[in-house]
């Protein structure tokens, strides 16, 4: 089945930029979605279809996807952005179509 | 605004069947175009898709769980359900229900329910 690999952790100072990668074979050919999960809370969609934001999600959250890596970028990081972040794709070629990444813990220093 | 809410026992004995229901409000579960999924998260771990069902009753399961899982739908009650048989402690997790379109993202999600497998 398709595998999505994320770094376990990313640390960033307030006001700086956090970049969270999601690696997968030719992931650039798939649509990537990103979720934010704060401690004890439900995952929330923050980016869909590589680059789009649901209503209510700040413009500070942006996404890109090319080649073998998709990236979620959080600009001007705030303390409230501290959370786990998961990427997700739909792999139409496999029998396990909905695949989540391994997750990245973003720590705001 | 569509909302999902899981319900069911929080404690299940080993070897028994875990049964959960997701009640959908704010839209008809049979309005079409959406898949209704179950996703779980082991304590301190990542997200695992269990399976989903279309309003017509078509189901799709994670191959690693396929032999143990049944997802069903009751359009008259606007609910869909999960049954996971022969549970072990490894099935202890928070179970979420969520909505998606084919090949798309999950949104919204239910609040999640913790199910502990223990004697």
């Amino acid at each position: 089945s398709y595998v999505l690999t994320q770094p376990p952790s990313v640390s960033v100072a307030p006001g700086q930029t956090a970049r969270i990668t999601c690696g997968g074979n030719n992931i650039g050919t798939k649509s990537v979605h990103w979720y934010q999960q704060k401690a004890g809370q439900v995952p929330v969609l923050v980016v869909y279809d590589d680059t789009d934001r649901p209503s209510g999600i700040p413009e500070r959250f942006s996404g890109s996807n090319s080649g073998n890596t998709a990236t979620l970028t959080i600009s001007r990081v705030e303390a409230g952005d501290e959370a786990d972040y998961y990427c997700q794709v739909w792999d139409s070629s496999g029998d396990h179509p909905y695949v989540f990444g391994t997750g990245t813990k973003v720590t705001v220093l | 605004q569509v909302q999902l809410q899981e319900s069911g026992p929080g404690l299940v004995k080993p070897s028994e069947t875990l049964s959960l229901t997701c009640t959908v409000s704010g839209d008809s579960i049979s309005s079409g175009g959406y898949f209704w999924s179950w996703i779980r998260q082991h304590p301190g771990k990542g997200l695992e898709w269990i399976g989903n069902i279309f309003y017509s009753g078509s189901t799709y399961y994670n191959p690693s769980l396929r032999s143990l899982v049944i997802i069903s739908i009751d359009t008259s009650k606007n609910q869909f359900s999960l049954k996971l048989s022969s549970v072990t402690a490894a099935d202890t997790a928070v179970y979420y229900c969520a909505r998606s379109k084919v090949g798309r993202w999950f949104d919204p999600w239910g609040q999640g329910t913790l199910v502990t497998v223990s004697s």
Side-chain angles (χ1 to χ4, degrees):
Chain A
S1 61
Y2 194 74
V3 176
L4 294 174
T5 302
Q6 300 180 234
S9 62
V10 168
S11 297
V12 58
Q16 298 304 303
T17 298
R19 293 180 179 84
I20 305 157
T21 58
C22 176
N25 187 35
N26 288 322
I27 195 173
T29 63
K30 304 180 185 301
S31 291
V32 180
H33 320 300
W34 291 91
Y35 303 88
Q36 175 195 67
Q37 185 179 33
K38 297 182 180 179
Q41 296 188 21
V42 180
V44 173
L45 182 72
V46 292
V47 167
Y48 65 93
D49 283 350
D50 298 338
T51 61
D52 294 337
R53 279 186 314 277
S55 81
I57 300 300
E59 291 183 5
R60 300 185 297 104
F61 289 83
S62 62
S64 63
N65 185 18
S66 179
N68 293 315
T69 304
T71 303
L72 174 69
T73 301
I74 311 172
S75 303
R76 302 180 299 284
V77 166
E78 303 174 355
D81 298 331
E82 186 162 289
D84 294 323
Y85 292 82
Y86 296 91
C87 56
Q88 178 246 316
V89 300
W90 184 65
D91 178 34
S92 60
S93 63
D95 60 355
H96 182 181
Y98 292 93
V99 182
F100 288 99
T102 49
T104 298
K105 169 69 175 179
V106 170
T107 299
V108 181
L109 300 172
Chain B
Q1 179 181 351
V2 177
Q3 293 184 313
L4 288 73
Q5 179 67 59
E6 306 87 352
S7 59
L11 181 64
V12 181
K13 290 182 169 54
S15 80
E16 296 190 344
T17 296
L18 178 160
S19 296
L20 295 174
T21 296
C22 182
T23 300
V24 179
S25 59
D27 192 15
S28 170
I29 201 170
S30 55
S31 60
Y34 291 106
F35 283 83
W36 304 94
S37 284
W38 288 98
I39 296 161
R40 71 180 181 180
Q41 185 171 35
H42 295 103
K45 302 297 184 183
L47 300 165
E48 179 183 31
W49 175 74
I50 298 171
N52 62 16
I53 189 166
F54 199 50
Y55 77 97
S56 62
S58 298
T59 52
Y60 305 87
Y61 299 129
N62 184 326
S64 68
L65 298 168
R66 182 174 291 139
S67 63
L68 301 171
V69 173
I70 297 175
I71 297 176
S72 58
I73 195 165
D74 187 336
T75 55
S76 67
K77 294 182 179 179
N78 231 34
Q79 296 175 334
F80 63 105
S81 298
L82 168 71
K83 290 188 185 300
L84 178 64
S85 60
S86 304
V87 297
T88 70
D91 295 306
T92 293
V94 174
Y95 287 77
Y96 296 99
C97 56
R99 185 186 74 170
S100 72
K101 288 198 172 185
V102 62
R104 313 306 270 178
W105 54 89
F106 296 102
D107 183 65
W109 297 56
Q111 285 301 302
T113 186
L114 174 63
V115 179
T116 301
V117 179
S118 175
S119 55

